[in-house]
């Protein structure tokens, strides 16, 4: 007699092997809960860049920092338009986050994988990750998706909070 008939709801050897085989057949990215890796290129003297790195780390990203005084060359190599340039440039799973992009936007980019070069927050909006100021109100800003197909608003924020 089959064990599952004697003990309803009990996992049999046959069903356990089937379950293990099904789990092993899943694509690796489905089971992955590892932090995403981000390489940040920043000026060695920039404190707001350091704040953005801490923001990414606290959001679960594994961050490597490469200090450079020739960030314009890094941006050119990675395809960041001059008018979207900010104070630091990153590389994350084939994308380029430029400037003070909130971690939630980077995470969404990596999950949705749109056809683009990356995301940018031009300038240095007050209240964006790394640009927090105690006595200054947070600014409203857009995270721009950019690439060969042009540009579009990816997300909107006030400070570090996403808004409609």
């Amino acid at each position: 007699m089959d064990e599952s008939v004697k003990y309803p709801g009990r996992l049999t050897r046959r069903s356990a092997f089937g379950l293990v085989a099904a789990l092993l057949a899943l694509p690796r990215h489905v089971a992955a809960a590892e932090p995403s890796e981000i390489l940040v290129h920043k000026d060695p003297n920039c404190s707001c860049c350091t704040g953005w790195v801490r923001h990414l780390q606290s959001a679960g990203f594994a961050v490597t920092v490469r200090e450079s005084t020739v960030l314009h060359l890094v941006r050119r190599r990675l395809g960041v338009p001059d008018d979207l340039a900010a104070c630091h440039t990153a590389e994350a799973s084939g994308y380029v986050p430029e400037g003070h992009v909130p971690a939630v936007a980077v995470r969404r980019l990596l999950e949705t994988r749109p056809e683009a070069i990356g995301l940018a927050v031009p300038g240095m909006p007050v209240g964006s990750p790394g640009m927090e100021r105690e006595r200054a109100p947070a600014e409203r800003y857009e995270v721009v998706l950019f690439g060969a197909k042009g540009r579009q608003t990816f997300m909107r924020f006030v400070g570090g909070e996403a808004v409609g």
Side-chain angles (χ1 to χ4, degrees):
M1 180 179 269
D2 184 27
E3 290 178 29
S4 61
V5 174
K6 282 197 259 180
Y7 305 103
R10 183 172 176 211
L11 191 63
T12 66
R13 253 184 245 165
R14 182 181 304 152
S15 60
F17 286 131
L19 178 62
V20 169
L23 289 173
L24 290 173
L26 284 174
R28 297 233 188 267
H29 69 275
V30 171
E34 300 170 13
S36 299
E37 294 181 11
I38 297 182
L39 171 61
V40 176
H41 304 274
K42 69 177 248 358
D43 185 282
N45 301 309
C46 185
S47 62
C48 70
C49 298
T50 303
W52 187 66
V53 166
R54 281 194 302 269
H55 166 74
L56 293 174
Q57 290 169 328
S58 68
F61 287 96
V63 181
T64 301
V65 174
R66 186 171 296 156
E67 295 186 338
S68 173
T69 56
V70 289
L71 292 174
H72 65 284
L73 298 177
V74 173
R75 288 187 194 97
R76 186 178 305 143
R77 175 178 59 82
L78 296 173
V80 178
D82 290 341
D83 64 322
L84 294 181
C87 60
H88 51 265
T89 303
E91 297 178 64
S93 298
Y95 289 103
V96 181
E98 174 68 21
H100 293 271
V101 178
V104 66
V106 175
R107 182 85 55 211
R108 181 175 165 205
L109 174 75
L110 298 178
E111 289 171 357
T112 60
R113 309 242 7 121
E115 188 176 325
I117 292 173
L119 297 176
V121 173
M124 300 169 77
V126 173
S128 62
M131 290 297 298
E132 298 89 353
R133 301 289 182 261
E134 279 186 37
R135 294 194 173 104
E139 294 177 351
R140 183 179 188 92
Y141 61 96
E142 293 184 349
V143 176
V144 178
L145 180 74
F146 67 96
K149 292 186 174 184
R151 300 174 186 188
Q152 66 184 46
T153 299
F154 188 72
M155 293 179 81
R156 290 182 174 88
F157 288 83
V158 174
E161 299 295 318
V163 294

